[in-house]
Amino acid sequence: MLDIAAELDRWVEEGRDFAVATVVAVGGSAPRGPGAALAVDSEGTAIGSVSGGCVEASVYDRCLQALEDGETVLERFGYSDEDAFAVGLTCGGVLEVMVTPVRADAPARAVFAAALSAAARGETAAVARVSRGPAELLGRALFVRPDGSYEGGLGGDPELDRTAADEAGALLAAGRTGAFTLPGHQEAPSGLTVFVESSVPPPRMIVFGAVDFAAALARTGKFLGYHVTVCDARPVFATRVRFPEADEIVVDWPHRYLRQTATDGRTVLCVLTHDAKFDVPLLEEALRLPVAFVGAMGSRRTHEDRTRKLREAGLTDRELARLRSPIGLDLGARTPEETALSIAAEIVAARRGGTGVPLTGSGTPIHRDGEAGAHVAA
């Protein structure tokens, strides 16, 4: 739901009734991961997607039904052996989709409104909803803030809400969407499964070196959802005219800027200067930071020379092993745009655990269980 927060926040402001279908668990080769959402308003307008097309029509109908009867339901969609065109996933996976009405009379509307407003503003926020348990508790929700405060409730037990808020806060702190199980209690003797959607600010991509390749990479980074910063010590090159798509343009020595700016475990650092006086001090800083990706452009000869200088500067073999250089996958790229695609492909592969080999004939799963599987409640 939070992946379409901006539009849903507008719907709330306009007083629209709507129903939202959210993927809460996946299995096998599923096209969309947990958190993917499709919303339908009372006029039949639809936004978002839960499956990329496989079960959209059926989910759409269930949203309209939820708007009519006001009931939250959990639906399971899987492959149909009898009829591949029947409602089901022809890719062979399984989706569990929770359909929740957000009508004016819905108890959780205020909770959803607060969460959607925060997410639409780019703030860190989470929504925790009962996705498995007694029918009367299904869809009950908490809006959880990063400071641990929360609104709403899951079923009347304050201790239950506090426990759920703590668990949701841990997922939010990690920037993860996932599920957890609460033990049984008076309202739900067999326990509850709670699904948590986390909305966090976009990860950072910092591109060092105001070159033509950087302009193409900035565009690609924005397309992938990164907050893109371009940094170069030369003011004549680091300009808004050259980098209109970048969120930030910084004129500073790269290593000095990196030392003072905020990074985290999702940050991607791309060093495109291939100039030792910039690269070596910058990579000394970068390879000691707990970031997601550090890559540097240059020929293999440049890489060998740069590695030697970094080793002389005191970097360990373990630190040097984090450097992806020459940066990018071998796509035969020649133009700046092709090179940016090559770099982006390596970043995605590193983030998702991909191999970078063609899917044709590889025998590897198209949709990996990896991250998505961690979100499926036991």
Side-chain angles (χ1 to χ4, degrees):
M1 179 176 68
L2 298 185
D3 67 337
I4 50 175
E7 185 68 15
L8 291 184
D9 181 52
R10 185 172 68 82
W11 285 8
V12 170
E13 290 292 323
E14 293 172 353
R16 298 196 206 184
D17 287 348
F18 60 91
V20 60
T22 306
V23 177
V24 296
V26 302
S29 184
R32 299 292 305 276
L38 170 72
V40 181
D41 74 359
S42 56
E43 299 297 321
T45 302
I47 58 172
S49 171
V50 294
S51 70
C54 302
V55 299
E56 305 296 300
S58 181
V59 173
Y60 179 89
D61 290 341
R62 282 159 173 76
C63 285
L64 292 178
Q65 183 64 42
L67 275 171
E68 182 177 336
D69 60 29
E71 295 183 2
T72 295
V73 295
L74 185 66
E75 299 283 353
R76 183 181 176 90
F77 298 95
Y79 180 70
S80 170
D81 291 323
E82 291 79 16
D83 183 359
F85 294 99
V87 173
L89 299 174
T90 57
C91 56
V94 175
L95 290 180
E96 289 189 6
V97 178
M98 184 163 61
V99 182
T100 304
V102 188
R103 307 190 309 189
D105 60 352
R109 185 177 177 100
V111 175
F112 292 140
L116 290 169
S117 178
R121 294 193 301 269
E123 298 175 4
T124 300
V127 174
R129 287 185 280 169
V130 177
S131 60
R132 190 172 292 132
E136 63 272 18
L137 299 185
L138 199 65
R140 295 287 185 92
L142 292 172
F143 163 41
V144 182
R145 302 180 184 88
D147 64 1
S149 62
Y150 58 91
E151 299 177 23
L154 300 185
D157 184 343
E159 185 59 35
L160 174 73
D161 292 343
R162 282 193 291 271
T163 301
D166 288 343
E167 294 284 350
L171 284 168
L172 180 59
R176 291 185 55 226
T177 286
F180 59 86
T181 300
L182 293 174
H185 58 97
Q186 183 174 354
E187 287 82 3
S190 60
L192 296 174
T193 297
V194 179
F195 177 71
V196 180
E197 291 180 75
S198 293
S199 178
V200 295
R204 297 191 68 188
M205 173 184 284
I206 309 179
V207 182
F208 297 97
V211 297
D212 288 345
F213 294 103
L217 184 57
R219 293 193 295 272
T220 306
K222 288 296 295 179
F223 175 74
L224 291 176
Y226 285 93
H227 178 96
V228 179
T229 300
V230 176
C231 176
D232 197 297
R234 303 163 296 180
V236 68
F237 295 116
T239 66
R240 176 58 62 186
V241 172
R242 287 170 55 82
F243 299 96
E245 290 88 356
D247 295 289
E248 296 177 290
I249 299 171
V250 176
V251 178
D252 199 351
W253 278 82
H255 72 282
R256 184 167 59 191
Y257 173 69
L258 182 58
R259 190 179 298 153
Q260 66 189 18
T261 196
T263 59
D264 60 25
R266 301 181 301 150
T267 301
V268 167
L269 305 178
C270 300
V271 181
L272 308 186
T273 50
H274 51 86
D275 183 331
K277 69 176 179 291
F278 295 118
D279 290 1
V280 173
L282 170 60
L283 290 171
E284 281 186 65
E285 297 286 338
L287 292 172
R288 289 169 173 153
L289 291 173
V291 295
F293 181 95
V294 182
M297 180 175 279
S299 66
R300 298 194 185 282
R301 183 172 182 176
T302 297
H303 169 69
E304 291 173 1
D305 181 61
R306 188 164 47 207
T307 300
R308 177 181 56 79
K309 291 177 179 177
L310 288 169
R311 201 180 301 278
E312 291 172 354
L315 268 72
T316 66
D317 288 341
R318 184 174 183 178
E319 291 166 338
L320 288 170
R322 299 183 57 216
L323 177 60
R324 295 175 177 269
S325 175
I327 192 172
L329 298 184
D330 181 8
L331 304 183
R334 291 292 182 269
T335 68
E337 289 74 19
E338 291 173 346
T339 302
L341 177 62
S342 163
I343 295 170
E346 184 177 21
I347 291 170
V348 172
R351 179 184 178 193
R352 301 297 189 187
T355 63
V357 302
L359 291 172
T360 301
S362 68
T364 60
I366 297 175
H367 303 293
R368 298 170 183 272
D369 286 335
E371 185 178 347
H375 302 316
V376 180

